[in-house]
Amino acid sequence: MKWHVLGSFGGSSPTCRMTSFLINGELALDAGSITQALPLDAQRRIRRIVLTHSHLDHTASIPFLVENTFGAQREALEILLTPQVLHTVKLHLFNNDTWPDFTRIPNDLLPALRLVQIEPRQPVSVNGLRLTPVPVRHIVPTHGYLIEDEGGAVLFTSDTGPTEEVWQVANRTSHLRAVITEVSFPNRMQNVADVSLHLTPSSLAGELAKLTRDVPVYLYHLKPAYVEELRTELAATRFSRHVEELRQGDVYTF
Ligand SMILES: [Zn+2]
Ligand SMILES: [Zn+2]
């Protein structure tokens, strides 16, 4: 499967950190920067978004994507999300205050947007892929996803501090091709990372020690203010496997 890393910032010196991936050109995984990264015709091909959690750096472009694609397609744009994320998106994004409630526009029967609830640990089939939400440990309810096709599987942890279940899922997935996980703060900010449930290079190394599959690991979520410091620390960290930073704008084939 092809993963396009949608960035709203330059690869070598980021100024803003948003998270979204476009899988096989049509399924978005998180939606921090879809409208900033893609031209309109590519935006219109996206009819489904899967969300890992409700934080703005993963959801900010949804209101504008709905607006940009409104009326261009007969069927609604679908957002797949777990119960607590659905609640938060309804309450804070499409509430008729921050943005119109597109789940009722133009009307209840043919809305522009549908919020589709999916259940933790229950696989769903979408766009020829099998997606399984796996709980991770973040400051708001968050699920990583195991994403499978006939060729293999990719595990995206989403934002997380030290966690367990997602690594157990990775270890029992024999056709796993890659893991995408986060690193956010440098080691000197371990306390901030621990409180906000993110990783430093040091705690990332601890997490990767739980992964027994011999697969490459790709990193996202390096905070722009610390990116050079993080790169230096990552280069100095002894990982027992291949670890590299995802490049904004690049397409990876897994
Ligand atoms: Zn987050
Ligand atoms: Zn985030």
Side-chain angles (χ1 to χ4, degrees), residues 41 76 79 108 197 205:
D41 59 333
I79 304 182
D108 287 359
L197 288 167

Side-chain angles (χ1 to χ4, degrees), residues 14 53 66 70 122 131 179 188-189 229:
H53 66 302
V66 178
F70 181 70
Q122 301 294 311
L131 276 65
V179 168
R188 66 181 168 84
M189 297 177 74
E229 199 177 349

Side-chain angles (χ1 to χ4, degrees), residues 87-150:
H87 174 77
T88 308
V89 165
K90 263 189 176 164
L91 191 65
H92 296 298
L93 273 188
F94 296 99
N95 55 11
N96 285 325
D97 286 325
T98 44
W99 208 244
D101 179 2
F102 276 99
T103 65
R104 297 175 184 281
I105 295 173
N107 59 62
D108 287 359
L109 292 177
L110 288 170
L113 176 70
R114 285 208 316 132
L115 303 180
V116 180
Q117 182 171 314
I118 58 175
E119 302 302 327
R121 305 183 180 89
Q122 301 294 311
V124 290
S125 293
V126 287
N127 295 55
L129 302 165
R130 193 172 115 115
L131 276 65
T132 309
V134 184
V136 293
R137 280 185 70 227
H138 193 31
I139 201 159
V140 294
T142 302
H143 289 78
Y145 283 84
L146 181 70
I147 302 186
E148 301 167 273
D149 67 7
E150 61 282 352

Side-chain angles (χ1 to χ4, degrees), residues 205 208-211 213-215 237-243:
L208 295 187
K210 302 172 188 172
L211 176 63
R213 294 271 162 206
D214 183 21
V215 295
T237 306
R238 286 180 166 272
F239 294 108
S240 55
R241 63 185 63 251
H242 181 78
V243 176

Side-chain angles (χ1 to χ4, degrees), residues 8 14 21 35 40 49 53 55 67 70 78 88 118 124 139 155-156 170 190 193 196 200-201 208 214 217 222 253:
S8 56
F21 301 93
T35 51
L40 272 179
I49 301 170
H53 66 302
H55 278 157
E67 183 180 67
F70 181 70
E78 284 188 348
T88 308
I118 58 175
V124 290
I139 201 159
L155 185 83
F156 175 57
Q190 187 67 54
S196 59
T200 63
L208 295 187
D214 183 21
V217 172
L222 288 78
T253 302

